[in-house]
Amino acid sequence: MTRPPTAAQRRVIDAADPVTGRLRGTEAQLAALVKRGLAFRHPRPPHDHFLTPEGHRVRQGVTQVPEPAAEAPATAGVFAARLGGEEAAAQAGPARRREVHSAWQGLLELRRMTNPDGAVDRPCGWERTHLVQAAALALEAAGHHPAGRDDGGYRVRETPQPEAVAVHEPDGAALRTCAATLEGAGWQVSEHREPRTGTRYLLASPRRA
């Protein structure tokens, strides 16, 4: 079930710093935004509050957001990037591109605010716990085409290996471009072949340093 932010919450979101996403409001207002996954409290003093990627999306004009699960962490409100293979994956238009861009900018800000050294060139803690979604967002934000139900394009999938995702793309040149995109987004990437079919795929892991 979804519902838009309240009028008071919307005013706080709209007043956020346009670059950093830093928020001003009462403790109750900020706590409510954190609970909904629209903001997070910075772990270091002075413990300011900032918009999450989902909060940035709301600020850009998306007024309906999902209710976070009760056990979800405060930073779990995040844009749902296309993993490949979804029914509507091929139907991307200007509105979708704006949402993807906003989500990617929000994720870069999350990196800046949560990586100990403020680095934006490598994944943050949230990405390490949401590997498939994070890798897919990096690819979609760079303009790669997610696979539809039956057509070509990238597909990001979980693997049995810790901190690694598999990226499949039937076109060899496009697969190499996906590798370059992920490396530029702070991932370590290696190319492999399926033992039985010989099909090439990528293994990607978030870089730590």
Side-chain angles (χ1 to χ4, degrees):
M1 183 176 182
T2 63
R3 60 182 176 83
T6 66
Q9 290 171 345
R10 183 70 210 212
R11 285 195 294 272
V12 173
I13 292 170
D14 289 343
D17 185 284
V19 176
T20 66
R22 187 177 181 181
L23 294 164
R24 299 289 188 186
T26 67
E27 286 298 322
Q29 289 172 331
L30 297 174
L33 291 174
V34 169
K35 185 176 181 181
R36 295 196 58 187
L38 300 176
F40 70 94
R41 183 174 183 264
H42 198 279
R44 298 198 300 271
H47 302 297
D48 288 328
H49 289 72
F50 297 84
L51 292 175
T52 63
E54 190 67 41
H56 279 279
R57 286 188 64 218
V58 172
R59 193 172 187 277
Q60 291 293 322
V62 180
T63 57
Q64 287 196 323
V65 297
E67 291 288 348
E71 69 275 10
T75 56
V78 68
F79 176 78
R82 288 175 176 156
L83 311 183
E86 299 93 338
E87 192 71 45
Q91 300 173 6
R96 175 67 184 180
R97 288 193 291 271
R98 286 193 297 270
E99 290 179 357
V100 172
H101 175 75
S102 179
W104 178 245
Q105 293 304 310
L107 186 55
L108 291 179
E109 182 60 21
L110 194 62
R111 288 182 177 187
R112 189 179 77 82
M113 297 309 305
T114 59
N115 278 333
D117 57 355
V120 297
D121 61 350
R122 68 175 185 273
C124 61
W126 183 90
E127 292 169 272
R128 297 179 192 282
T129 59
H130 297 77
L131 296 169
V132 173
Q133 295 90 336
L137 176 54
L139 292 172
E140 191 175 0
H144 293 278
H145 178 70
R149 183 68 67 181
D150 300 309
D151 62 346
Y154 72 77
R155 297 172 187 259
V156 184
R157 298 294 183 262
E158 293 181 348
T159 73
Q161 301 185 30
E163 285 209 355
V165 297
V167 179
H168 302 271
E169 163 61 77
D171 182 88
L175 184 68
R176 289 189 292 274
T177 305
C178 286
T181 291
L182 290 171
E183 288 172 350
W187 293 68
Q188 293 178 321
V189 182
S190 56
E191 188 172 304
H192 303 266
R193 286 183 180 272
E194 294 282 358
R196 287 181 293 180
T197 65
T199 303
R200 292 182 179 275
Y201 69 98
L202 305 176
L203 279 181
S205 301
R207 183 167 55 84
R208 290 192 174 275

